[in-house]
Amino acid sequence: MSFPILGPLLYHGRRPNIPWSPVLGSFLEVMLVVVAVLDMALAEMDHAIRVFGDTCTYARWVLKFEGFDFEKKDMSLEVATVVEDAVEYSFAMEYHGPPITRELPRAVPINVDRIPVAAVVSPTPFSDNLSLPVVQPISATDILSKKLPKDLKLSSSSAELLTVSPTSVIAFDLRNNEVSEGSYSKELGLGTETSVSPSSVNNSLGEREPENCLSNDICALSGELSSDFECCNPNGGFVGRVESSGALGSSDSFEKSREFSGSLSKSRLSSGFKESIDFNESNRTDWESNESVLSVDYLSSRVSSRKFGDGNHESNCDVRRAPVVTFCDIESDDENINEEFSRSEPEVVRAKKEPAIKVRKGACYRCLKGNRFTEKEVCMVCDAKYCSSCVLRAMGSVPEGRKCVTCIGFPIDESKRAYLGKCSRMLKRLLNDLEVRQIMKAEKLCEVNQLPPEYICVNGRPLYHEELIMLQSCSNPPKKLKPGNYWYDKVSGLWGKEGQKPSQIISPHLNVGGPIKSDASNGNTQVYINGREITKVELRMLKLAGVQCAGNPHFWVNEDGSYQEEGQKNTKGYIWGKAGTKLLCAVLSLPVPSKSSYPSGEQATSMNNWSRPDYGEERAIQKLLLIGYSGSGTSTIFKQARILYKDTPFSEDEREHIKLVIQSHVYSYIGILLEGRERFEEESLNELRQNQSCDGSTPAGHLEGNGEETLYSICPRLKAFSDWLLKIMASGTLEAIFPAASREYAPLVEELWSSAAFQATYKRRSELETLPSVASYFLEQGDLKTSKAVEILKPDYKPSDLDILYAEHVTSPNGLSCVDFSFPESAYDDDDADSGDLHDSLLRYQLIRLQAKGFGENCKWLEMFEDARIVIFCVSLNDYDQFAVDGDGNLLNKMMLSKRFFENMVTHPTFDQIDFLLLLNKFDSFEEKIEQVPLSKCDWFDDFHPVMSRNRSNSNNANHPTMGQLGFHYIAVKFKRLFSALTGRKLYVSLLKGLEPNSVDAALKYAREILNWDEERPNFSLSEYSVYSTEASSFSH
Amino acid sequence: MSVAELKERHMAATETVNTLRDRLKQKRLLLLDTDVAGYARSQGKTPVTFGPTDLVCCRTLQGHTGKVYSLDWTPEKNRIVSASQDGRLIVWNALTSQKTHAIKLPCAWVMTCAFSPSGQSVACGGLDSMCSIFNLNSPTDKDGNLPVSRMLSGHKGYVSSCQYVPDEDTHLITASGDQTCVLWDITTGLRTSVFGGEFQSGHTADVLSVSINGSNSRMFVSGSCDSTARLWDTRVASRAVRTFHGHEGDVNTVKFFPDGNRFGTGSDDGTCRLFDIRTGHQLQEYSQPNSDNEVRHVTSIAFSVSGRLLFAGYTNGDCYVWDTLLAQVVLNLGSLQNSHDGRISCLGLSADGSALCTGSWDTNLKIWAFGGYRKVI
């Protein structure tokens, strides 16, 4: 069938897939159009297909292009020219893409044979053109000199010059990946290897030593060795490995490693390393005696592997010189040693990272140039130093601050903790401010760089992560916390290094570490404070401060300095009460309590300068998701939150915008009223006519002459305005025209308002269904005579917060709006303010309001809110007797629509772990409405049978809940049941009067409470866990 | 006319439309004389084979703290812009994997980002229903943030996709959740044309993706939640040039084939399809039966420069490389060592075709390049 006449319609924007809509008018026409369009499409397609021939042109095109760039695989350059029938459209001639820049590294195929596997370079090339430190044999010089040549010969047979294409991404990358992976596991192995138990080989020495040697660049001899030893590891995973020599048997490895660490220990002594490491002296001599057994093979492998490390870095930095790479692997050693020692090694010791290469003193670790005076940047992990031209390449994108690319993911060297986040001049010169700041922030905040909690031992027990955070985030944290053993007096807050007098008074009552031991500060005075035997200095201070210390008393000292004797109730005095005592303490270098540790009054001020660990900052923002079906009052809540918690809820621009919106709303309200007026006029006219016709005396002329005056008639001028306004409203361009035309029409509106007809209409406004309930707020104020509308329509009108609150559609009409806030300080005045609340006030909240409109069946972007802490779902109680059209065009109860939306949200996979708070909004008008309209108007609530006392007159007293309250509870229970049926969890419900600030404030605080409960839940389980782990560790000791 | 009568007629009309649509389909099938895979095979084409190390990850761009949602390459230089849920755009140098810019966004819920053809500015859009343009050369403000140089506001729903018109820094096409696509003039910040929406010819659900024809920048395709893709001519905003049916789920992504005569789609139904814009035919369907019946959607696709390979990212973390001719899987990047841990949310090929960048919900981006013949243990 064909409708040629209708054909042109096709080109006027009518489409085939229009679902029939009643608005379009004649059904038949649409039908015909649809059919015609489809028919046309058929013909069109037929034609198109005939023109373009078969679909295989595509295949030909591809074939022709195949082998162009990406797939070098089937490089069949023969062009598939199977164009049998001359196609008039010749596509696919040649490649017109953007020119291929050479900047991007191209993949250069690399021959397997040429991948560097293992090789030892002949001594000559690296000794003269690379400035590498020469390896010194340790002590057995003669053995070395005898054996070394032989080794070199052995390995030189497999030696090969490797030419890594400098631009090859792959080669570079592979190495990177392999290195990072390989080095990690190898690092672990290393950690255990070097940290053998004290009985056999020195603990922790081996682990710390090499690094220190390196950093100090002092001991060339064994430092050399250690760095070599390390440098093999990151590269160990590279490609296949070759045993450096047959002599490396597993049986030897033990000896060797002992040997190795023995030499290390020596170097430690020579470098004058001060840090106290529990080091077994007697064992040391043992190793030294073993030293002569050093295997030379081992050493030679070091040499060559070091070379490899260099070469590796060379190719990294695109230096055009083909690096001479030799490679050797000592993994076999590591593994054997692991086996050997892991059994006797119960403690967990962190692996340390060493720079991959060892260079001459003062030179850059990458380009090997420069001397000790050139400015260099240091890797926070392995202490490698890089000059300004290499640092960016060596450190890459610095995701964790200044670390070599290979060191990313490793904890920093503790001795460098003080430099965290302190930028060097060099970096500032190389990068712009923003970048530097970002790097420094990353360095300070990233998880790996934080102080490892197990390094800090308080009262004989290593800390857990949470304890460390607690310690660092208390109002008065220990200064310059370094790894080490400390004692902490929980009652008075005294804090010191183990075996020493107190160094500081920190916040008391922190639940960190174990119980304090009596010999914590190694005192011998037999005077005790809170169970700790105090030192002589302290005793002297006490005596000078006037504390009676005769008879070796046991004191109980509180954080405020008040002390009492153990077992007695009365406070005997305040230690730090006298002004002189503080001076005395300063002289004796004893701590005095800092101001902020005074409780109560001053706490609020101390909150401000409370030092929280910075990395907590990110976590502190809590996202509250506010959703609800349209008309449920989410925007009111959102605006309330802004007014409540923001100093400037709305900016000038926003107010200006809102003003325009409100003005055009007022015009639309007036328009609706005018429309109503016309209707009423017509009705009353009809009535009039009927009356007159009933009278029977209706001469036509008389009727016209009478002018058809009714109560609702207005003067022609206003009539013209009314007609015009209605026309504009019908055309839907009200918003575009009105705010601008406001000045002109404001006087007219005033006149209109004062006209009797309009007033009469306004009185019957309840009959106008399209008029929103808020219209009365904007139209009248106080008495009916002076309209607020007149006020609003003045050009200099400034909307008040209340106006904004009442206004509809003023906050970004589309999508999402969010506001950051924190609950104001006044929260402390609440009765239930406890310490949790104090902490809480620093938390930032983000209220995110989402529009219901966008939520489809499988809303894709809801996943973005999976980090929300709570979903606040808003339902308007008023909705139970209202109807709206849903997406399919069915008229449904709005409460049911709300319910459906609720079900969708609750069952959405994104929210399956998130708490829901249901806010039943508009309770104020619900209370009024339920008296008139029964709740059973909504199908869902048909079993609502409230038991009401008959004497309704005094139903407002407490004993008799009002109908509204009953209804609220009923609906709340309905939703709760629905929620638990869907999820099996608990729904929080609160009622709300969106227009009352206090009500919204209370609701949001309730949400905060829910979050707090939520936070405490894991805390409970956590404390249980820590109890268990304490027991476990105490047993093992 | 009573309501019942109207409804009856409506039903009848729908019925007619459906039968006509069916006829259309039949006719189309009738005219489809060859299938691509068969033809290619008859030409003696063997499927592309890749070893596990032929396409290897050579860079991991770390720096985002949230899920990566979108990325785009510069047409010339080797720079990438990526958008993440941490509320930042990061501009990377793909070669050195360094960040050149980190732009904090006013609205953290960003869904898409794009590089301008000149590489001077980037655009992004998200749940704030705006498309924001940042000039990379403009000075940062006192907080170190790059100021927004232009806000394109006018969409009534989230901005799901944006792409600059090739070779024009001043024009941009966005797709939005308000069922429309919009062509913007960036200099004025105004809409040049709106595709769909009020006109009855457009998408009937959220538009999720746009792709502009590289050889004829007047044509672009859009993919939508109504499980269709539509072809548009920027000069004729009133109606879509053609509608492509076939998918059984939301069309998440569309991408023009390098020659501009075809385009690929990726959908929630787990398949990718290739359509010809001249015949309206579906040329190929790329679907891999999944072993463990889980639902996996195609999130993003890209073609190699020749068009022989199609890269498709899936929600389960797979990233298949398809042979477009023979519709066979060449490689699964998701099964390779050091692949992404999370869903692949976006991918893109560098302009010269030498590298592929994938972005994932594991907050990382990875750059993959062709490794040639090599055995790496």
Side-chain angles (χ1 to χ4, degrees), chain A residues 137 139-151 291-297 299:
Chain A
S139 59
T141 329
D142 45 344
I143 308 175
L144 174 71
S145 60
K146 247 191 282 168
K147 281 202 170 179
L148 189 61
K150 179 193 147 209
D151 247 90
E291 223 158 75
S292 57
V293 201
L294 175 68
S295 151
V296 184
D297 304 336
L299 196 66

Side-chain angles (χ1 to χ4, degrees), chain A residues 776-777 780-786 788:
Chain A
S776 55
Y777 171 82
E780 69 182 79
Q781 195 172 42
D783 58 331
L784 296 175
K785 290 286 172 270
T786 58
K788 189 178 167 83

Side-chain angles (χ1 to χ4, degrees), chain B residues 7-26:
Chain B
K7 269 191 177 158
E8 204 171 286
R9 287 197 180 195
H10 181 203
M11 292 280 283
T14 327
E15 190 67 23
T16 322
V17 169
N18 282 339
T19 46
L20 282 170
R21 201 169 270 160
D22 269 349
R23 271 183 58 198
L24 206 60
K25 210 170 162 184
Q26 296 298 326

